[in-house]
């Protein structure tokens, strides 16, 4: 095991960016940069001995700054959408940045994805990134101190440990941190992921309105295109005549993961490379987003990205949870700790 680091350019404000690469004994590796605590590459050797870069991304910091697809980024202070860019907490209404029409998305105009993190190499398999989100940043109450530790071990487990603290003495805050890596187990330059098989352990999902904001209603996946419990390709039903699919142009929905605590969430597999990815988490929900609006842009290998070229598997609290008290609560009380974990395990089938 080893961790190396190299310069990865500078931001438009002149801040130097460093890329950290964790390599395990199998020769597989993950690379994360301190701009946005962003996953830039995941290199896994498949059953044929070919190195597959399993995530979409860019070759320069400028491209990450320019594009708004959140590729590989750590998302906060709250991932996903908040309707009307506001919420009420303890009798006070907080107004957030409206960066998707009238709604708030992925932390706002300058969320965690557009921030510099301080980095620390903790061991031969772990790098930790941290920052302090001040009271009022993007409209959120309370000072929030946050770190995310990325571990990549010899069993090809890519572990994301999220830890935060509400440093306020008096103010509640809200937190729902996630990661926005776009996975393509055939390779980041391989085109559409609609041939990938997804097995998802969720019996219901949150219904959304025309702005993709949850209505508060949970819909049963039984006999719908949203039933992945027995596994099927992402493309099998993506164009089905279902109002929820038409609203999102595909899958862009929060699924309510069955069970509690640390548990399996889903399994993703590429038919081309036979690479599998097993996801487990202790978060209540997972956003499955089939890249319906990925920007037309050039990726790391020089190949242009298009819609559906990656799938985001974002573990999280349910979207717009503060406006739906029946949802699991993302409220973090003063001086309380936020702690959640998601694991992405890669396997090359023979």
């Amino acid at each position: 095991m080893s961790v190396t680091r190299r310069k990865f350019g500078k931001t438009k404000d002149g801040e130097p960016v460093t890329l950290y690469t964790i390599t395990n004994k199998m020769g597989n590796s993950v690379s994360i940069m301190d701009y946005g605590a962003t996953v830039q590459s995941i290199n896994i050797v498949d059953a044929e001995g070919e190195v597959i870069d399993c995530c979409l991304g860019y070759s320069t910091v400028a491209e990450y700054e320019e594009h708004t697809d959140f590729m590989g980024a750590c998302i906060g202070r709250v991932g996903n959408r908040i309707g009307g860019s506001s919420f009420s907490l303890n009798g006070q209404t907080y107004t957030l940045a409206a960066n998707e029409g009238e709604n708030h998305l992925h932390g706002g105009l300058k969320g965690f994805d557009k921030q510099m993190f301080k980095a620390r190499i903790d061991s031969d398999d772990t790098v930790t990134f941290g920052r302090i989100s001040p009271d009022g940043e993007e409209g959120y109450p309370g000072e929030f101190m946050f770190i995310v530790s990325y571990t990549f071990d010899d069993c090809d487990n890519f572990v994301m440990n999220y830890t935060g603290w509400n440093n306020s003495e008096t103010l509640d805050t809200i937190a729902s941190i996630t990661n926005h890596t776009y996975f393509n187990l055939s390779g980041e330059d391989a085109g559409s992921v609609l041939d990938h098989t997804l097995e998802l352990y969720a019996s219901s999902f949150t219904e959304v309105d025309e702005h993709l904001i949850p209505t508060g209603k949970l819909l049963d996946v039984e006999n719908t295109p949203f039933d992945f419990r027995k596994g099927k390709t992402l493309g099998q039903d993506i164009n089905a005549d279902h109002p929820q699919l038409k609203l999102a142009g595909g899958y862009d929905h929060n699924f309510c993961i069955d069970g509690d605590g640390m548990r399996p969430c889903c399994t993703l597999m590429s038919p081309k490379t036979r690479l599998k990815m097993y996801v487990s988490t202790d978060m209540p929900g997972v956003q499955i987003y089939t890249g319906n609006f990925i920007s037309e842009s050039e990726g790391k290998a020089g190949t242009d990205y298009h819609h559906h070229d990656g799938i985001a598997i974002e573990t999280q609290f349910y979207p717009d949870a503060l406006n739906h008290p029946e949802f699991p609560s993302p409220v973090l009380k003063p001086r309380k700790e936020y702690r959640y974990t998601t694991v992405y395990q890669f396997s090359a089938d023979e």
Side-chain angles (χ1 to χ4, degrees):
M1 301 293 299
S2 67
V3 178
T4 59
R5 54 186 161 189
R6 67 177 178 89
K7 295 179 181 179
F8 197 67
K10 294 182 178 181
T11 68
K12 60 186 177 183
D13 294 328
E15 294 182 273
V17 175
T18 302
L19 187 71
Y20 295 81
T21 299
I22 308 170
T23 304
N24 67 14
K25 69 179 182 181
M26 308 298 292
N28 296 330
S29 67
V30 299
S31 295
I32 313 104
M33 62 177 167
D34 47 11
Y35 176 76
T38 298
V39 178
Q40 193 266 346
S41 67
I42 303 172
N43 289 307
I44 307 293
V45 178
D46 71 6
E48 302 299 326
E50 297 293 325
V51 178
I52 307 298
D53 187 348
C54 297
C55 75
L56 276 58
Y58 301 112
S59 300
T60 67
V61 177
E63 290 169 295
Y64 282 98
E65 289 186 288
E66 173 188 353
H67 295 293
T68 57
D69 295 305
F70 306 97
M71 284 196 181
C74 179
I75 302 296
R77 183 176 309 189
V78 171
N80 218 308
R81 296 173 174 88
I82 297 177
S85 300
S86 68
F87 64 91
S88 295
L89 189 59
N90 300 324
Q92 182 171 344
T93 297
Y94 293 93
T95 300
L96 309 175
N99 61 321
E100 190 184 57
E102 63 182 19
N103 303 308
H104 180 83
L105 175 67
H106 289 334
L109 296 169
K110 193 175 181 181
F112 286 11
D113 62 297
K114 300 297 185 185
Q115 302 282 356
M116 288 296 302
F117 283 71
K118 292 183 178 180
R120 179 185 70 212
I121 298 174
D122 286 338
S123 66
D124 287 344
D125 66 359
T126 302
V127 182
T128 294
F129 300 85
R131 69 177 302 266
I132 295 175
S133 176
D135 179 21
E137 182 175 67
E138 295 296 311
Y140 291 101
E143 182 181 89
F144 182 63
M145 185 166 65
F146 171 73
I147 63 172
V148 54
S149 292
Y150 294 101
T151 297
F152 187 59
D153 65 21
D154 285 333
C155 295
D156 293 327
N157 291 298
F158 188 21
V159 184
M160 301 180 186
N161 283 308
Y162 303 101
T163 307
W165 298 267
N166 181 355
N167 283 345
S168 174
E169 296 282 357
T170 58
L171 292 174
D172 290 358
T173 191
I174 59 174
S176 179
I177 317 298
T178 190
N179 180 273
H180 209 287
T181 293
Y182 287 91
F183 297 99
N184 188 324
L185 301 184
S186 297
E188 62 94 15
D189 57 347
S192 175
V193 295
L194 296 186
D195 64 348
H196 283 38
T197 297
L198 178 68
E199 186 175 341
L200 176 60
Y201 317 120
S203 301
S204 61
F205 68 100
T206 49
E207 180 185 60
V208 296
D209 64 16
E210 66 273 19
H211 301 295
L212 304 184
I213 305 297
T215 64
K217 185 177 181 180
L218 303 186
L219 300 181
D220 196 318
V221 302
E222 184 77 24
N223 296 321
T224 77
F226 292 83
D227 192 350
F228 287 90
R229 291 173 297 178
K230 294 182 180 179
K232 64 180 179 181
T233 64
L234 293 168
Q236 177 176 314
D237 296 321
I238 198 169
N239 294 314
D241 185 17
H242 191 286
Q244 287 290 296
L245 287 174
K246 290 182 177 180
L247 286 172
Y251 296 101
D252 189 6
H253 294 78
N254 170 72
F255 289 78
C256 310
I257 306 169
D258 295 339
D260 297 300
M262 196 69 186
R263 65 214 186 277
C265 168
C266 65
T267 301
L268 184 70
M269 183 187 73
S270 162
K272 296 175 182 176
T273 62
R274 303 196 301 279
L275 283 179
K276 287 185 178 180
M277 184 176 73
Y278 303 91
V279 183
S280 57
T281 188
D282 54 2
M283 292 296 280
V286 60
Q287 187 85 3
I288 299 297
Y289 174 49
T290 47
N292 313 323
F293 303 104
I294 288 177
S295 300
E296 301 285 325
S297 58
E298 185 177 292
K300 288 173 285 186
T303 303
D304 286 345
Y305 292 148
H306 303 283
H307 299 171
H308 307 309
D309 279 2
I311 176 175
I313 300 174
E314 308 160 65
T315 58
Q316 59 180 10
F317 281 97
Y318 301 174
D320 202 33
L322 252 292
N323 293 317
H324 298 282
E326 67 274 20
F327 288 176
S329 175
V331 173
L332 190 64
K333 294 291 185 181
R335 296 299 181 186
K336 294 299 182 180
E337 184 181 61
Y338 175 98
R339 185 180 292 273
Y340 292 94
T341 298
T342 297
V343 180
Y344 302 90
Q345 181 185 23
F346 297 88
S347 175
D349 282 356
E350 296 296 334

